[in-house]
Amino acid sequence: MTEKSCDIRGSRIKLLDESTINKIAAGEVIERPASVVKELIENSIDAHASEVRVEIGGYGTKSILVVDNGVGMSHTDASLSFKKHATSKINAIEDLDRILTMGFRGEALASIASVARVELVTRQEGEIAGTKVVVDSSGIKNITSAGTAVGTSILVNDLFYSTPARKKYLKSARTELAHIIDVVSRNSLAHSDVSFTLVVDGKVTLRSPSSAKMQDSIVHLYGADVARSLVPLEYESDLLTISGYTSKPELTRSGKDLQVFFINGRSIFSNQISNAVRLGYYTLLPKGRYPAAFLNFIIDPVNVDVNVHPAKREVRLSHEKEIEAMVISAVEDALGRESLVPEIQVKKKDVPVQVLLSGSKEKEEQGLVKTSDKSDGSDTVEEAPYISGESHDISLQDAVIKENKEPYHYPAKDTQKRLKKSERLQMSVTSNEVTELSSSFKPSDVKVYGQYGDLYIISEMDGKLILIDQHAAHERIMYEEVLRMQDMGWQELITPVTLDLSQKEKAIIEDFIPDLENIGFSISEFGPKSYVVTTVPSIFGKLEDTDVIHDIISDLLSTGRVKEDTERYDLLCSTMACRAAIKAGAVCSTKQMEELIRQLMRCGNPYTCPHGRPTMISFTKDELAKLFKRT
């Protein structure tokens, strides 16, 4: 190797400057405004604060102020707190095996200061004056004495001003606010003895007073309806202690947004624990539904590695299989002690809420509401089955959650209702908008042999064995028809549906209300934490529960930023199609299966559902011969 080549290779390695190092580290810890809130709240909890106030300007990039009444810091500690890896939580590597504090890495303040302008004001009890530290990405600007109450306040201005490219990866203002609300909510549940207040642009968005009970915090954060559907869960063994709440099968979501887990007071995300919780329900839940669960685990710190993620969101557990089995058992025991028969509470009202909202004297007198379908211009009138008089607890025999370990089956009449809806939608489309499949798959070529597992249709087309996923197929049908509809039509609800939303859900839905209204929903505020739904798209028929609204919100939460209006509309349409489609577990007659296939053949893309899953799989005779080793 020549001397010149050695020089070239050696020049490729460079030592980064301290500022660049800090910005790279900040990228691991400070991903978004909610990351700042999380780190500062955890410091307040470690400082034994009993009150924490978070004030947000804009959606966090403009300003974040966290004020606590904790023990505060001395002048010396305040000066050192912005140094990289400066921490009061551990002294040696051995301490990592017994961490019980929220923070310990010594990265938070240094990382925040490398991407924002920060002012810290703090005072310990017994000191006459406090300390003020001003710092930005270039380092500490000045340290002075300041008058202040006991505790610490940290003001973070112009987040990501020194790394403007980072802002491009932030989501919408509402989504970023939802993440902040989620951080405050989780800490409120994990530390119910601490009072938390969240103020957004001068308005109190969330307030969770200190309480000895987690359930009180759940009521404040998620509403009475959620709290009413929870059952207490307690479990203790030599390995761990579990306490908290899980929901009756009547309360579910399409996502995991109502699942909050803590280990030794630290909020964590764990698919392992979530899956174990769901397994505890066995067949009490439909496929794709997730129960609410608010669980705190007390585990010997020796068995918990909290140092596997820079932002401390994930942990690694020893005895994973044993812990999973204990979670399943704890959920089964909690549900086994409760009556799982859903109850409907009919409020004492002489007039339906619909009448009060509409002000219609005729509706008040006759108890009728009008259903308008804009797609064909027809109007129908339905009788309002409302009950007046005293409140009642009604046990619905048909709605009993069965515990015989058998999966739920949808009756054939439900299938027929959904097929008629999609058929009507297809017939409303002009013939030149309908796309037929290629000649290899003509509806007249189909032979239907039966149904397997109340989900898969066994058929033959053009000499091929075709297995069709009935839910995915009908989902595709509904999706394409909804997309074609310029005016989806709406129907007025006989009785409005009230939604009690968490602050996080509320932040998301407000951003999408115009889009929801464009497709047929009428949603308006109905109190500080509630919304009332008075109309829904005609595609749903009778809205029997509020799950569809929550499912849409869950989809929006999981998707995050939707850049274009068309993407937003597409997302809403795919969610509605999924909710309106024939379900897995739906019984289909031969005639119904033939009708479903006929409708599928009309689709422009009959091969996948809106989410990309295949609607059908084919086998040729040669492929089957290979499977049976005939060749």
Side-chain angles (χ1 to χ4, degrees), residues 15 21 53 102 229 273 302 332 361 363 402 445:
L15 295 176
I21 293 172
R53 182 180 179 89
M102 297 298 101
S229 297
I273 293 176
V302 172
E332 288 177 340
K361 184 177 180 180
K363 291 179 183 177
K402 300 179 181 180
D445 298 333

Side-chain angles (χ1 to χ4, degrees), residues 98-331:
R98 302 203 65 84
I99 292 174
L100 289 173
T101 56
M102 297 298 101
F104 58 88
R105 289 170 172 263
E107 294 175 326
L109 293 182
S111 294
I112 294 170
S114 69
V115 293
R117 310 181 199 277
V118 182
E119 293 183 8
L120 177 149
V121 181
T122 185
R123 180 168 76 87
Q124 289 183 327
E125 190 173 3
E127 292 183 341
I128 297 176
T131 303
K132 180 178 180 180
V133 181
V134 179
V135 60
D136 61 18
S137 60
S138 63
I140 293 178
K141 309 300 289 184
N142 59 65
I143 303 175
T144 59
S145 296
T148 185
V150 173
T152 301
S153 67
I154 299 180
L155 175 62
V156 179
N157 286 318
D158 302 327
L159 185 62
F160 301 135
Y161 85 97
S162 61
T163 54
R166 187 76 54 80
K167 285 187 178 181
K168 295 180 181 179
Y169 294 96
L170 295 179
K171 308 300 182 182
S172 69
R174 289 287 180 184
T175 299
E176 294 300 334
L177 177 59
H179 284 289
I180 293 173
I181 291 172
D182 188 51
V183 166
V184 179
S185 299
R186 287 174 175 272
N187 279 282
S188 300
L189 291 173
H191 306 278
S192 57
D193 56 329
V194 179
S195 173
F196 287 88
T197 303
L198 175 61
V199 180
V200 178
D201 294 331
K203 180 181 178 181
V204 176
T205 299
L206 182 155
R207 179 177 285 124
S208 179
S210 61
S211 172
K213 298 179 180 179
M214 181 192 291
Q215 190 174 28
D216 292 339
S217 297
I218 293 173
V219 172
H220 282 284
L221 298 171
Y222 295 94
D225 285 348
V226 170
R228 198 178 294 119
S229 297
L230 300 178
V231 299
L233 184 151
E234 300 288 340
Y235 184 91
E236 186 172 357
S237 71
D238 294 337
L239 185 59
L240 57 73
T241 298
I242 312 175
S243 61
Y245 300 87
T246 191
S247 67
K248 295 180 180 179
E250 66 198 50
L251 175 62
T252 63
R253 294 287 188 269
S254 62
K256 302 175 184 177
D257 46 299
L258 281 184
Q259 294 187 354
V260 185
F261 306 126
F262 317 99
I263 294 181
N264 298 335
R266 180 188 304 279
S267 173
I268 59 102
F269 295 86
S270 173
N271 285 328
Q272 176 195 1
I273 293 176
S274 178
N275 291 336
V277 168
R278 200 182 188 289
L279 286 172
Y281 285 77
Y282 196 49
T283 58
L284 294 178
L285 299 180
K287 182 180 179 181
R289 306 299 300 183
Y290 297 89
F294 306 94
L295 302 177
N296 187 30
F297 296 77
I298 304 299
I299 305 175
D300 189 327
V302 172
N303 295 320
V304 183
D305 184 357
V306 298
N307 197 32
V308 297
H309 192 282
K312 305 184 291 291
R313 286 197 301 262
E314 302 170 5
V315 298
R316 182 182 292 118
L317 301 175
S318 301
H319 311 288
E320 288 187 351
K321 292 299 182 182
E322 293 94 325
I323 290 175
E324 179 180 334
M326 291 175 184
V327 172
I328 294 172
S329 178
V331 172

Side-chain angles (χ1 to χ4, degrees), residues 353 357 496-499 522-526 530-534:
V353 180
L357 290 174
V497 173
T498 301
L499 298 173
S522 290
I523 303 178
S524 56
E525 284 193 85
F526 197 63
S530 299
Y531 283 81
V532 65
V533 182
T534 54

